[in-house]
Amino acid sequence: MDRDPAFALAEKRLEKFLQSHHYSKDQLLGEVERVFGEPELVVAVGSLMAGLGNVRSDIDLMVIVDKEGLHDIPILSFPKDLMIDAEYYGAGDIANQISTMRDLTWPPEGFVDEALWVRYQRALRSVTRMESGCPLQSTPQWRATLVDLKHPWLRDNVARFWRSEAIRFALSASWVLAEDPLLACIRMGDAVCAALQAKTAMDGELFYHWKWLPEKLRALKDKSSLKIFRKAIRASSSQSDDLALYSELEKDLSSLVDHSEFSGMEYQLRLMRGVKLLPADEGTLVNLWNTDGLLMDKELKALDGNGLLANGLLAEAPSKDIIELFRHGACWLGLAVRKEPVDD
Amino acid sequence: MIKKVDPRRWVAFKAIGISRLWFLIEPAVEDIEGALADGQMEVAAARLRNTILNCLSVLSVRHGGAITEGNEFDRANWDPIFGLDRNLVREALRLADDALAATDPAGKSAIIDRLHALQQQVKDSLGLKDRWQVRNPDGAMLVVRFIREWERQLIAMGLPSSLPKNWAKQDSPR
């Protein structure tokens, strides 16, 4: 395949890895199974292709075939001293994931639930893996698609997702701070890491897996962010330290994310999977997987057909009862762009 | 000796614990060893923090922690330390801090030892002892069978699957 400037860096990284293992691109392609049909696209992906990874890292292959119903079917092979993890996907499935990333800016407008959040997150993972990958075999159409992933729309949507996640984690932390400052600190640390992910994405480092965040910061020579990162994963030593650390992390977050970007957002709290509301003489029994129960002294009903328990602007905290349900894992927190009612 | 237990909570603890040990904790330990060996101290520390939280979450399920589906967590909605003593949690999390400072081989080796000790604590709490041998193919197959056995119990009780989506045979109940 001819050298293409769009993939020059990934090709260089792949060649370096293959040379060190005395292996060739053709041999790598030979590991691809043809049982699902001739691949439309084979891309070498993973942390090494993104310029990250370490001595234990291997090469993964994303294999796209024109077949319905295939979604991340993994097949491992072990040629020489390598482990090759080939993941097989249906072309339609991957095309849908790319459309999701292109057409849906996160947070979504009006409605959010866990299923939609999971779908977006999976799309983000697959698409950013492809973006940093090195194509080994492709149709012209898929090659054009890969080149398109290098354009700013993907970078902008990835960064916005992470900024929105930072705000969601911070909200979640603030709601549990009074009752559980240690948990609040852990979540605020995660909020800061999400904000740093957004920053690295804007600087061109889109690779999804958060464990490589410090290496991305190193690659970008961003020493001040690396210092913030080290603080974000720190453990507190006591309850008073929790509060001090929380406050510092909150300041770090404010320096990384402009909260005004999310002023038109609302939180939505929906019943977690496996949670049911049962009317009781005393009020409502909140039943979690028929294993735990929370008895509320008032009537509680979902506000819509999708288990919405509460929603409101980010500055408006839900009632204490609802926060208590959230703290016990009875409801799922998501963010959405508030949809203004349309006048007749 | 007879100990009274809530059977649904007990089955959830065993199935979720074994699943997290196999799918999340074991691979992470290898990752951490790799990062330490390569001098990627922040990567090791970040991975340690997450792995410690996964270990603690297993202990937490026994003490009323959330029963979750699969093993992809939304961390904004997940409390991995529910019901656990705060000193135990702080002590465990300190390991990640200490990794940042462990630059010499002895320091790195001490980090790995402490991680293995925490991992062993999780295995002991699950009553695994010698039944957990993942370093050879026969042992690994036994572990996989073991995971499937507990998964069956979990589903029979109407609880959500603890396996990744491409492993789970049946749809979990809603």
Side-chain angles (χ1 to χ4, degrees):
Chain A
M1 194 166 278
D2 296 333
R3 284 253 184 206
D4 184 327
F7 309 109
L9 195 54
E11 282 197 20
K12 213 168 138 187
R13 288 167 179 160
L14 179 63
E15 278 165 13
K16 188 178 164 197
F17 174 82
L18 292 174
Q19 271 168 16
S20 67
H21 290 270
H22 310 289
Y23 209 61
S24 71
K25 274 190 202 176
D26 286 341
Q27 285 174 306
L28 194 57
L29 264 175
E31 293 300 321
V32 174
E33 291 284 345
R34 261 67 184 173
V35 286
F36 303 117
E38 185 59 25
E40 293 187 359
L41 175 68
V42 180
V43 199
V45 295
S47 54
L48 287 172
M49 292 297 91
L52 308 165
N54 59 39
V55 284
R56 303 268 179 111
S57 301
D58 284 298
I59 292 285
D60 297 338
L61 296 178
M62 267 180 96
V63 184
I64 317 282
V65 290
D66 183 16
K67 201 168 182 72
E68 290 300 309
L70 273 187
H71 178 76
D72 192 4
I73 307 285
I75 298 181
L76 287 173
S77 59
F78 301 89
K80 293 194 173 178
D81 59 340
L82 293 172
M83 184 181 90
I84 296 169
D85 185 357
E87 307 154 5
Y88 294 79
Y89 296 85
D93 193 21
I94 290 293
N96 282 340
Q97 291 195 332
I98 293 170
S99 299
T100 298
M101 283 306 303
R102 187 191 289 108
D103 304 335
L104 178 59
T105 303
W106 200 262
E109 191 182 344
F111 173 88
V112 67
D113 67 0
E114 192 177 8
L116 185 57
W117 178 84
V118 167
R119 191 156 66 87
Y120 197 82
Q121 206 197 30
R122 285 191 180 149
L124 192 147
R125 179 180 174 274
S126 301
V127 175
T128 53
R129 269 161 77 79
M130 285 176 78
E131 185 274 339
S132 59
C134 176
L136 300 173
Q137 175 183 326
S138 67
T139 61
Q141 198 182 355
W142 274 109
R143 198 164 179 87
T145 301
L146 287 184
V147 171
D148 185 42
L149 299 183
K150 304 279 182 191
H151 290 147
W153 67 264
L154 180 60
R155 176 201 69 193
D156 292 347
N157 279 353
V158 170
R160 185 163 158 101
F161 172 81
W162 284 118
R163 285 197 299 276
S164 148
E165 283 294 275
I167 297 293
R168 192 171 72 103
F169 270 104
L171 198 60
S172 159
S174 69
W175 288 351
V176 300
L177 178 63
E179 292 293 328
D180 196 341
L182 179 56
L183 177 64
C185 247
I186 292 170
R187 286 185 180 166
M188 192 53 91
D190 286 339
V192 170
C193 288
L196 291 171
Q197 286 274 51
K199 193 168 188 270
T200 57
M202 284 311 287
D203 289 333
E205 295 282 351
L206 306 190
F207 197 66
Y208 172 82
H209 205 310
W210 61 268
K211 75 178 175 185
W212 297 115
L213 174 58
E215 289 305 300
K216 290 199 273 184
L217 294 170
R218 255 184 221 293
L220 294 166
K221 298 186 172 47
D222 188 347
K223 284 186 183 167
S224 60
S225 294
L226 199 57
K227 201 171 156 193
I228 293 174
F229 173 80
R230 290 168 75 106
K231 202 193 302 171
I233 61 166
R234 220 197 87 193
S236 67
S237 56
S238 64
Q239 189 163 343
S240 59
D241 191 29
D242 288 338
L243 298 174
L245 181 58
Y246 182 92
S247 167
E248 274 189 55
L249 291 172
E250 205 175 19
K251 274 187 213 149
D252 288 334
L253 182 67
S254 295
S255 72
L256 291 165
V257 176
D258 177 4
H259 286 59
S260 66
E261 181 185 357
F262 297 94
S263 58
M265 306 286 156
E266 66 170 25
Y267 68 80
Q268 294 185 2
L269 283 164
R270 295 184 185 278
L271 284 174
M272 199 65 104
R273 201 172 166 210
V275 177
K276 292 192 174 77
L277 302 178
L278 305 173
D281 295 334
E282 294 85 349
T284 308
L285 174 68
V286 181
N287 176 347
L288 295 88
W289 288 112
N290 294 329
T291 304
D292 299 299
L294 300 164
L295 195 56
M296 272 182 84
D297 64 355
K298 52 180 71 104
E299 190 185 10
L300 181 66
K301 279 185 181 166
L303 302 171
D304 68 8
N306 293 299
L308 182 69
L309 282 189
N311 61 325
L313 291 170
L314 303 191
E316 305 163 352
S319 70
K320 279 187 176 169
D321 284 340
I322 296 289
I323 286 185
E324 200 53 15
L325 292 182
F326 172 69
R327 212 167 67 76
H328 282 84
C331 39
W332 181 84
L333 165 66
L335 299 188
V337 177
R338 177 163 276 201
K339 200 170 182 178
E340 297 303 331
V342 181
D343 293 333
D344 290 333
Chain B
M1 189 181 79
I2 289 179
K3 198 162 87 178
K4 198 172 169 188
V5 294
D6 173 341
R8 292 176 65 82
R9 172 66 55 189
W10 182 250
V11 167
F13 164 61
K14 295 287 272 196
I16 290 174
I18 291 166
S19 172
R20 284 183 195 166
L21 194 56
W22 174 255
F23 291 106
L24 302 177
I25 299 168
E26 288 283 352
V29 171
E30 293 198 8
D31 261 13
I32 293 162
E33 288 169 352
L36 284 173
D38 228 19
Q40 294 174 330
M41 307 317 286
E42 288 94 356
V43 172
R47 197 82 165 108
L48 264 167
R49 179 180 184 263
N50 194 39
T51 305
I52 293 161
L53 289 173
N54 283 333
C55 287
L56 294 172
S57 78
V58 173
L59 306 177
S60 163
V61 174
R62 191 174 188 174
H63 297 284
I67 294 171
T68 51
E69 186 187 23
N71 54 22
E72 291 172 274
F73 309 116
D74 172 9
R75 291 160 63 116
N77 283 287
W78 184 50
D79 180 354
I81 56 172
F82 187 92
L84 298 182
D85 178 81
R86 277 6 199 185
N87 289 330
L88 168 88
V89 175
R90 285 198 179 87
E91 181 56 33
L93 284 171
R94 197 160 300 129
L95 178 55
D97 272 4
D98 293 345
L100 287 172
T103 44
D104 60 287
K108 289 176 186 178
S109 169
I111 295 293
I112 296 293
D113 289 347
R114 283 166 65 193
L115 175 60
H116 286 166
L118 180 62
Q119 200 184 359
Q120 192 58 47
Q121 192 182 342
V122 173
K123 288 178 194 170
D124 290 348
S125 77
L126 290 164
L128 292 170
K129 296 194 168 50
D130 298 335
R131 300 183 69 185
W132 194 267
Q133 300 292 335
V134 296
R135 301 279 172 176
N136 63 70
D138 288 347
M141 283 313 291
L142 269 175
V143 168
V144 170
R145 274 221 297 277
F146 196 39
I147 290 171
R148 290 241 185 248
E149 269 171 42
W150 280 104
E151 175 73 2
R152 261 196 292 278
Q153 301 293 336
L154 195 71
I155 299 300
M157 287 201 169
L159 291 166
S161 169
S162 67
L163 300 181
K165 284 232 165 355
N166 50 1
W167 268 62
K169 268 185 182 169
Q170 305 105 310
D171 273 342
S172 298
R174 265 211 173 265

